[in-house]
Amino acid sequence: MHPIFLWHDNIKQIFIQPDAIYVKNSFVPNGDLDPSRRYQRKPHGQDKLEGVDVEEVCADRPADEYFRLETDGDCREVYRCTKSGLKEIQCPSGLAFDVIKQTCDWKAKVTNCDEKEKPRKAKPILKTDEPICPSGKLSCGDGECLDKELFCNGKPDCKDESDENACSVDEDPNRAPECDPTQCALPDCFCSADGTRIPGGIEPQQVPQMITITFNGAVNVDNIDLYEDIFNGQRQNPNGCSIKGTFFVSHKYTNYSAVQDLHRRGHEISVFSLTHKDDPNYWTGGSYDDWLAEMAGSRLIVERFANITDGSIIGMRAPYLRVGGNKQFEMMADQFFVYDASITASLGRVPIWPYTLYFRMPHKCNGNAHNCPSRSHPVWEMVMNELDRRDDPTFDESLPGCHMVDSCSNVASGDQFARLLRHNFNRHYNSNRAPLGLHFHASWLKSKKEYRDELIKFIEEMLGRNDVFFVTNLQVIQWMQNPTELNSLRDFQEWKEKCDVKGQPYCSLPNACPLTTRELPGETLRLFTCMECPNNYPWILDPTGDGFSV
């Protein structure tokens, strides 16, 4: 029997053999699933399916939805509908299936074992042969007609609440229009039908291959030495400027004097949230005010305690890459954030260039929870092209891509990492030269010295060419707004700012402020800053640390 491949968001690849189901390269919450364990399946499970009306069970049910037939078992068995009937899948011992999250999880964490399926939501009636409602109105699921602009506005208006249940990028009745190049012109707008077009119509051979190295998380004593090592000031792009990186900084445990020095040396500082709450649904379902407090609050803290006063913090990335839909992007536009760097694009033959969100995104909404913005927003998306992680792309079977380098779970040695870097560089360089994003958590690069060594070796090898540049996310946007051929790049003014920084850090001995906040009872946290110590540890209700009144 040949393996049958199944896919869904959390379990990357499952293949079924006659006696068992194995999960390969699993991706589940907190790494709960051991890829070496088996997903047992009772042979065909025919006894349980006797008397089940498959047509009735599968009517109007999505093909990728897993559900239970009974709730009196051990919560491990679920089914899904296929063309050949029902297929049974069983979580490993000790785990249970969460029908809401659609994944196996520790049994103690699963609270819906008494539910057979995900709750069904009423959908509006949007496509009919003859109009049901007058012009400018749309039909709720129960036939009630409401104004079109009330659909997908974040507030239920239909009695059955169906106006908020078909709001994806492809369904939202008020979604952004498809790319119209006649209405979308640089420097403010950039789009293309499939996302692969080169800005300015420049021939690929004349396009600089830009590489962005980004880091997520706190900047502190655990990783400052790594950043010093990679960005030592000696490695220069072909225009004579030192290579630069982008740092998405989270607040807790960050040393703001170190952030201040990274900024002084020309690196880009962006925000990665204030609390970094570990509940992914907090981000996916976050309100406008949640995103405002998290991202604008984080920027306020960085500007104040890293003394960044030039208005250069204009980018953000969502924790766990849990994009917050239209609410996140409405907040970004209001708060003058220029770009987001959280949306991933599935591994494709040709990588995708960053784009603006005035028009509809040019690729499927990929990644965590599929909550991409459906409306038009004056914001750039620094899309994360997935990396091809196959050891030998000419021979190996197809594997799903990975967006962060450290999520390429099959990379376990320096040699494999080196091959990953060069193969993905060639994928971009030999096609449309879309920017190559190498996104890291510093802890992964520090986990093995060979990873750090291979990255530095790769950087130095690339700098031996005359057409590869290690730049920040903002510098990518600056080039796209003013596409310039390789032979004119030495004088490209936007890349000359903070070209090769000299001078000393702002302070050699930062204040190590021991602080508390009522928001985190029982915790005393150190805030390292060259600035004056605040009264309290800055947190979500009190980002300045000046204190707040209840």
Side-chain angles (χ1 to χ4, degrees):
M1 175 178 173
H2 293 293
I4 303 168
F5 287 82
L6 311 176
W7 302 86
H8 69 86
D9 286 343
N10 299 88
I11 299 175
K12 284 282 187 180
Q13 191 177 18
I14 303 177
F15 56 101
I16 305 174
Q17 300 290 6
D19 62 332
I21 296 178
Y22 299 82
V23 176
K24 185 175 181 183
N25 304 317
S26 310
F27 182 76
V28 297
N30 304 320
D32 291 341
L33 206 55
D34 177 353
S36 65
R37 293 174 71 171
R38 297 168 139 207
Y39 268 46
Q40 296 298 330
R41 178 166 68 109
K42 294 183 175 65
H44 312 297
Q46 291 302 325
D47 52 334
K48 294 190 179 178
L49 299 182
E50 282 176 21
V52 174
D53 185 335
V54 176
E55 275 189 32
E56 185 183 327
V57 167
C58 291
D60 299 324
R61 190 184 295 278
D64 60 352
E65 182 189 328
Y66 294 85
F67 56 92
R68 302 186 224 285
L69 289 177
E70 52 193 32
T71 56
D72 55 358
D74 55 10
C75 202
R76 290 165 56 198
E77 293 165 5
V78 286
Y79 297 80
R80 75 180 186 99
C81 299
T82 70
K83 287 179 181 174
S84 57
L86 293 180
K87 288 282 187 247
E88 179 189 352
I89 291 179
Q90 193 174 90
C91 295
S93 178
L95 302 187
F97 195 86
D98 189 317
V99 290
I100 306 296
K101 293 180 182 173
Q102 292 283 293
T103 184
C104 293
D105 206 342
W106 296 116
K107 191 156 190 178
K109 284 188 177 182
V110 178
T111 57
N112 49 52
C113 287
D114 57 343
E115 297 173 35
K116 289 187 176 180
E117 61 188 5
K118 286 173 78 170
R120 295 292 181 98
K121 293 179 177 177
K123 295 273 188 158
I125 305 167
L126 300 178
K127 291 180 181 174
T128 56
D129 293 335
E130 295 292 329
I132 300 177
C133 299
S135 177
K137 293 183 182 284
L138 294 173
S139 172
C140 302
D142 59 6
E144 179 188 7
C145 292
L146 292 180
D147 290 340
K148 180 182 174 184
E149 51 268 23
L150 294 176
F151 283 70
C152 300
N153 65 354
K155 184 169 69 67
D157 294 289
C158 293
K159 292 188 185 73
D160 61 5
E161 302 190 351
S162 60
D163 56 308
E164 299 302 316
N165 293 338
C167 296
S168 69
V169 174
D170 298 319
E171 294 174 309
D172 184 348
N174 299 297
R175 60 189 176 272
E178 289 185 3
C179 174
D180 180 353
T182 65
Q183 299 294 313
C184 183
L186 290 168
D188 298 320
C189 182
F190 180 72
C191 71
S192 64
D194 63 357
T196 63
R197 182 169 66 87
I198 297 171
I202 297 177
E203 287 298 312
Q205 295 74 21
Q206 283 301 315
V207 175
Q209 178 60 65
M210 294 173 276
I211 300 178
T212 56
I213 295 178
T214 77
F215 289 95
N216 297 351
V219 174
N220 54 35
V221 68
D222 291 337
N223 47 44
I224 292 169
D225 63 323
L226 173 71
Y227 304 148
E228 293 278 352
D229 211 1
I230 296 169
F231 304 106
N232 63 2
Q234 307 303 307
R235 301 188 176 98
Q236 294 190 335
N237 284 318
N239 64 351
C241 299
S242 55
I243 66 171
K244 303 290 194 292
T246 303
F247 295 83
F248 292 93
V249 178
S250 54
H251 169 48
K252 207 174 188 184
Y253 310 121
T254 278
N255 179 329
Y256 286 101
S257 67
V259 173
Q260 186 170 351
D261 201 52
L262 286 170
H263 175 257
R264 180 187 69 83
R265 289 159 54 189
H267 300 294
E268 183 180 4
I269 306 301
S270 297
V271 291
F272 193 46
S273 85
L274 197 158
T275 66
H276 202 278
K277 275 190 185 167
D278 59 8
D279 172 13
N281 293 324
Y282 168 76
W283 305 101
T284 304
S287 67
Y288 179 99
D289 288 342
D290 290 334
W291 284 100
L292 178 68
E294 288 284 357
M295 296 302 177
S298 178
R299 176 166 64 184
L300 186 67
I301 290 171
V302 177
E303 287 178 338
R304 179 160 180 167
F305 297 105
N307 197 26
I308 297 176
T309 57
D310 57 4
S312 62
I313 304 175
I314 54 166
M316 57 163 280
R317 178 170 283 162
Y320 311 102
L321 307 183
R322 283 279 187 154
V323 181
N326 292 311
K327 294 286 178 248
Q328 173 193 331
F329 289 83
E330 286 164 18
M331 180 282 297
M332 290 181 68
D334 290 349
Q335 295 295 317
F336 303 104
F337 281 100
V338 172
Y339 74 84
D340 169 72
S342 315
I343 295 179
T344 61
S346 294
L347 183 61
R349 196 177 54 81
V350 181
I352 287 173
W353 277 85
Y355 50 86
T356 55
L357 284 161
Y358 286 108
F359 291 88
R360 203 173 310 168
M361 48 192 286
H363 58 93
K364 277 200 165 67
C365 182
N366 181 32
N368 292 333
H370 298 285
N371 194 20
C372 295
S374 58
R375 304 285 174 95
S376 177
H377 302 280
V379 173
W380 282 82
E381 182 55 48
M382 291 297 296
V383 62
M384 299 172 74
N385 284 294
E386 286 190 338
L387 299 170
D388 185 345
R389 60 196 170 104
R390 292 174 295 171
D391 244 8
D392 182 355
T394 56
F395 176 75
D396 287 357
E397 63 181 278
S398 180
L399 285 176
C402 41
H403 33 267
M404 302 288 295
V405 174
D406 30 312
S407 66
C408 302
S409 54
N410 58 319
V411 173
S413 70
D415 287 345
Q416 286 178 308
F417 180 37
R419 285 196 292 275
L420 175 97
L421 292 171
R422 284 160 185 79
H423 166 55
N424 283 284
F425 170 80
N426 289 329
R427 280 185 63 244
H428 286 244
Y429 185 82
N430 295 327
S431 57
N432 64 351
R433 298 205 180 172
L436 170 62
L438 300 175
H439 313 295
F440 298 96
H441 292 97
S443 54
W444 184 84
L445 273 176
K446 293 200 72 170
S447 65
K448 286 188 179 175
K449 185 174 181 296
E450 56 189 308
Y451 291 160
R452 182 196 313 212
D453 294 345
E454 287 298 341
L455 177 62
I456 290 172
K457 198 186 297 182
F458 170 75
I459 292 170
E460 292 182 340
E461 180 185 316
M462 293 300 118
L463 293 176
R465 301 167 175 258
N466 63 359
D467 53 3
V468 179
F469 293 76
F470 289 85
V471 293
T472 66
N473 281 352
L474 175 58
Q475 287 177 317
V476 170
I477 293 173
Q478 289 172 328
W479 184 90
M480 292 182 68
Q481 290 180 320
N482 182 15
T484 303
E485 295 192 349
L486 270 168
N487 49 19
S488 306
L489 265 185
R490 185 163 278 280
D491 301 316
F492 187 63
Q493 211 46 51
E494 289 87 338
W495 286 6
K496 284 293 187 181
E497 293 170 26
K498 294 193 176 177
C499 176
D500 200 9
V501 180
K502 301 285 188 277
Q504 295 301 313
Y506 187 79
C507 68
S508 54
L509 196 62
N511 293 316
C513 317
L515 300 170
T516 59
T517 170
R518 280 180 284 171
E519 298 180 74
L520 300 170
E523 288 190 63
T524 300
L525 294 150
R526 292 262 176 196
L527 182 77
F528 290 89
T529 175
C530 294
M531 312 310 286
E532 202 174 301
C533 292
N535 298 328
N536 305 288
Y537 189 73
W539 204 245
I540 193 92
L541 298 177
D542 177 26
T544 61
D546 292 337
F548 61 94
S549 53
V550 177

